[in-house]
Amino acid sequence: MSISADSSYLEQRTERTKWFLRDRFGMFIHWGLYAIPARGEWVRSFERLSVEDYQAYYEEFNPERYDPKEWAKAAKAAGMKYAVLTAKHHDGFCLFDTKLTDYKSTNTKSGRDLVREFLDAFRAEGLKVGLYYSLLDWHHPDYPAYGDSIHPMRDSEAYKRDPARFTNYLDYMHGQVRELLTDYGKLDIMWFDFSYGEVKGEAWRATELMEMLRSLQPDIIVDNRLEASGEEGGSIYTRNPSLYSGDFASPEQIIPPSGVTDEEGNPIPWEACITLNNNWGYCASDRAYKTAKTVIRKLVECVSKNGNLLLNVGPDARGEIPRESLNVLEEVGEWMRRNGDSIYGCGAADLPKPEWGRYTRKGDKLYAHVLEESVGPINLAGLAGRIGQARLLADGSEAYVSRPWNATLYPDDAFFNFARPEHYTYPLPDERDT
Ligand code: FHN
């Protein structure tokens, strides 16, 4: 790929991802038939369920309490600006009215196009919308994981002797992506999942898929999992736009120590996807929910490293987000209403990480997130010089450290926000020297 083509690709990617880097915080939603057994989204594979056993969930699926307007309100109140729903996970069940299979929500008792209702509800609340689409498909007869194995391209001689079968599956997969990009209005994110081993890139006919995607929805942004697995989401990234470059890297359950860069060390957009408990799909026995404080710390850490946080909820079989998840989201929203300025449109401060917490920065505003309790006065005056000509605040005044807005809420955390000069200030060194 020539540099010029690469540079125009980078300019296009920069334009496409502007809203993404501004919004910083989204909701991931893993939902499907697996919510009925309530043992996580890999239940079919982990428990080697037979086609008949899993079919029983299809026959039963009728989420009578599904109200995506409620989901959208909860996401918005939490301070989230976008949301990504599983249109099809690995089990092959389609939450949308595809013409390419009968294995879809509109054929269940509910009869509903769950994706369309999701998109309508979240757009109505002003949130950007994305769809997750599994490249793997344990249901499709021409996908090698049909029935027993969980990884494609198993050394099954019979399968290898008939390469047309995987071609059939790829035609199906491309056809469904085309349906989603054509029949559901403007989508902001396409979240493919996942590649590994030899099944990556052109094994998915990724160039053809990306060219179709870009032609149908030029502004959509795409993750990097046409070439990366979940484990590799935060590390594998290529700038080759004609093949299968995504627009952002997708570290999973971790926050990369120093953000994510491409092969030449240039920062690239990235988004850490993280579960609220330990499961993506609904798991009734998993009560290990993160606290709001933990979620806020993760969000601040992502933004302090130029990244986004995609926080997952797993609705239950009735279509409701678990109460424990909603409780955490409500508390996070309270913090975001007071401190959203230190997240939205912010990024790394290009300063050494302070021992007491983290910085986020937006233009000439610096935000200090003080996470350690035993902190004396924070001497910020010296920072003015450290960040070059940019003043710490747009009006040219000094950095301000406002009192913890509500220390009682986080007794061991104090989140300072340099935006309200009514509290004590630190003189800049040149003024102090006069
Ligand atoms: O196997 C999936 C898993 O179920 C979940 O969807 C995550 C979310 O990023 N992706 C895969 C694991 O990397």
Side-chain angles (χ1 to χ4, degrees):
M1 171 61 63
S2 71
I3 293 297
S4 58
D6 222 353
S7 56
S8 69
Y9 165 72
L10 290 176
E11 284 158 19
Q12 291 162 18
R13 187 189 74 192
T14 302
E15 190 57 32
R16 276 196 297 267
T17 55
K18 274 185 180 163
W19 71 266
F20 187 66
L21 301 185
R22 181 194 66 237
D23 288 355
R24 289 299 184 207
F25 188 26
M27 178 183 273
F28 212 176
I29 307 167
H30 276 70
W31 191 40
L33 299 181
Y34 43 77
I36 296 176
R39 300 191 293 277
E41 76 287 355
W42 271 69
V43 63
R44 172 173 175 180
S45 174
F46 286 160
E47 299 182 15
R48 289 284 188 271
L49 299 180
S50 68
V51 174
E52 294 71 28
D53 286 347
Y54 205 74
Q55 183 63 15
Y57 303 134
Y58 175 85
E59 304 302 339
E60 179 183 341
F61 188 68
N62 188 15
E64 289 168 328
R65 297 194 180 179
Y66 172 53
D67 182 355
K69 297 185 186 68
E70 291 306 311
W71 293 8
K73 288 184 171 63
K76 185 175 185 177
M80 292 163 159
K81 297 291 187 181
Y82 65 98
V84 179
L85 169 70
T86 51
K88 183 196 84 169
H89 203 262
H90 309 334
D91 62 2
F93 175 66
C94 301
L95 283 72
F96 63 104
D97 190 22
T98 173
K99 295 176 180 54
L100 302 182
T101 179
D102 293 335
Y103 200 51
K104 57 185 178 178
S105 60
T106 44
N107 281 358
T108 64
K109 285 178 188 167
S110 78
R112 296 164 73 173
D113 187 326
L114 305 171
V115 161
R116 189 174 301 284
E117 291 185 48
F118 157 79
L119 295 172
D120 292 347
F122 278 71
R123 286 173 182 142
E125 287 296 329
L127 276 76
K128 297 271 188 193
V129 290
L131 294 177
Y132 165 111
Y133 184 84
S134 172
L135 301 168
L136 289 69
D137 191 313
W138 300 330
H139 180 82
H140 194 284
D142 285 328
Y143 190 83
Y146 183 59
D148 56 351
S149 71
I150 61 170
H151 289 295
M153 302 301 189
R154 274 283 166 99
D155 294 337
S156 73
E157 288 316 309
Y159 188 83
K160 279 190 169 179
R161 277 198 304 275
D162 185 1
R165 290 187 57 192
F166 197 59
T167 300
N168 291 343
Y169 170 69
L170 292 182
D171 292 344
Y172 170 84
M173 184 262 276
H174 284 227
Q176 286 204 317
V177 173
R178 178 179 290 276
E179 286 182 310
L180 292 171
L181 294 169
T182 307
D183 303 340
Y184 289 86
K186 184 180 184 311
L187 301 178
D188 300 293
I189 300 177
M190 180 55 77
W191 217 101
F192 291 119
D193 195 28
F194 59 84
S195 299
Y196 56 94
E198 74 278 12
V199 190
K200 63 193 311 181
E202 286 316 296
W204 302 117
R205 295 194 330 235
T207 302
E208 175 190 330
L209 188 67
M210 285 297 283
E211 287 171 348
M212 180 255 286
L213 177 141
R214 295 268 185 244
S215 67
L216 291 172
Q217 300 237 10
D219 297 333
I220 197 169
I221 61 174
V222 185
D223 68 334
N224 62 341
R225 295 200 181 181
L226 280 171
E227 62 171 351
S229 65
E231 293 76 20
E232 298 164 329
S235 56
I236 286 199
Y237 188 83
T238 174
R239 284 169 43 182
N240 185 337
S242 65
L243 280 176
Y244 30 75
S245 273
D247 297 298
F248 62 92
S250 57
E252 179 168 321
Q253 300 288 35
I254 56 133
I255 298 173
S258 48
V260 183
T261 60
D262 63 17
E263 301 95 332
E264 289 92 35
N266 304 304
I268 60 165
W270 61 272
E271 171 196 75
C273 54
I274 296 177
T275 52
L276 253 178
N277 51 10
N278 292 311
N279 280 270
W280 299 99
Y282 181 60
C283 181
S285 62
D286 181 355
R287 320 311 298 168
Y289 286 87
K290 296 172 178 71
T291 62
K293 182 173 75 173
T294 299
V295 169
I296 290 164
R297 284 168 180 252
K298 290 185 181 299
L299 177 59
V300 166
E301 183 176 357
C302 286
V303 176
S304 75
K305 297 174 179 176
N306 287 321
N308 287 27
L309 173 62
L310 188 66
L311 184 66
N312 184 76
V313 296
D316 63 22
R318 297 184 299 181
E320 294 188 303
I321 296 175
R323 184 69 245 164
E324 298 90 337
S325 298
L326 293 174
N327 291 343
V328 174
L329 292 179
E330 285 162 13
E331 203 173 333
V332 171
E334 192 176 335
W335 184 88
M336 286 296 283
R337 274 184 290 283
R338 291 182 175 82
N339 293 282
D341 282 353
S342 70
I343 298 296
Y344 302 128
C346 291
D350 301 326
L351 290 168
K353 180 189 172 305
E355 76 282 356
W356 36 259
R358 296 188 183 280
Y359 294 120
T360 57
R361 178 176 173 181
K362 177 163 39 190
D364 51 26
K365 283 192 178 179
L366 184 70
Y367 297 90
H369 298 262
V370 179
L371 306 178
E372 305 308 328
E373 192 173 62
S374 58
V375 173
I378 299 172
N379 175 10
L380 296 173
L383 289 178
R386 299 281 296 281
I387 56 178
Q389 301 312 312
R391 287 185 170 279
L392 292 180
L393 290 180
D395 60 8
S397 54
E398 299 77 18
Y400 294 93
V401 182
S402 58
R403 287 191 186 81
W405 58 270
N406 182 348
T408 53
L409 186 62
Y410 297 99
D412 56 346
D413 283 355
F415 295 85
F416 289 74
N417 186 328
F418 297 94
R420 294 184 290 279
E422 67 275 19
H423 301 307
Y424 43 89
T425 66
Y426 292 85
L428 294 177
D430 50 357
E431 289 175 6
R432 187 177 50 194
D433 296 346
T434 49

